[in-house]
Amino acid sequence: MNDRTAEPQVASVAELARMSAWTVAGSRGRWITAERTLDLGGRRWVVGLTPTVGDAVALMLWRDDDVVAHLRGTEAVLCATAFRWVTNLLAGRRWDAA
């Protein structure tokens, strides 16, 4: 069993909000942004989620001042992706490692 099989599955912004390292802002009972900042190896990484049209969500990854990834999809899929990106970065792997 590898160490990655034990990673928790995160499927909502509400779950991210329960983690102290994530900042979730909202208005009128709805979340507007969810963000996690990492300072690693002299670089500043920001993983951010925001709702878009309908039920769609946007996920963005910044490295310093550059956007290096941008995805749109469901909250469940993109929260899991955001969590995986953070896990990878913290483990010293490429952010997009499988």
Side-chain angles (χ1 to χ4, degrees), residues 25-95:
S27 176
R28 299 182 188 151
R30 181 168 162 90
W31 70 277
I32 298 172
T33 61
E35 191 172 279
R36 173 85 191 258
T37 301
L38 304 163
D39 291 308
L40 301 168
R43 296 247 187 217
R44 182 173 184 264
W45 296 85
V46 179
V47 179
L49 294 141
T50 191
T52 61
V53 177
D55 291 332
V57 172
L59 169 61
M60 290 139 297
L61 176 66
W62 290 268
R63 182 182 57 227
D64 300 322
D65 293 329
D66 298 319
V67 174
V68 295
H70 180 266
L71 301 172
R72 287 182 187 249
T74 66
E75 180 176 342
V77 168
L78 294 186
C79 284
T81 301
F83 188 79
R84 186 180 74 248
W85 288 357
V86 168
T87 301
N88 284 339
L89 288 167
L90 289 172
R93 296 185 292 264
R94 280 186 47 89
W95 60 271

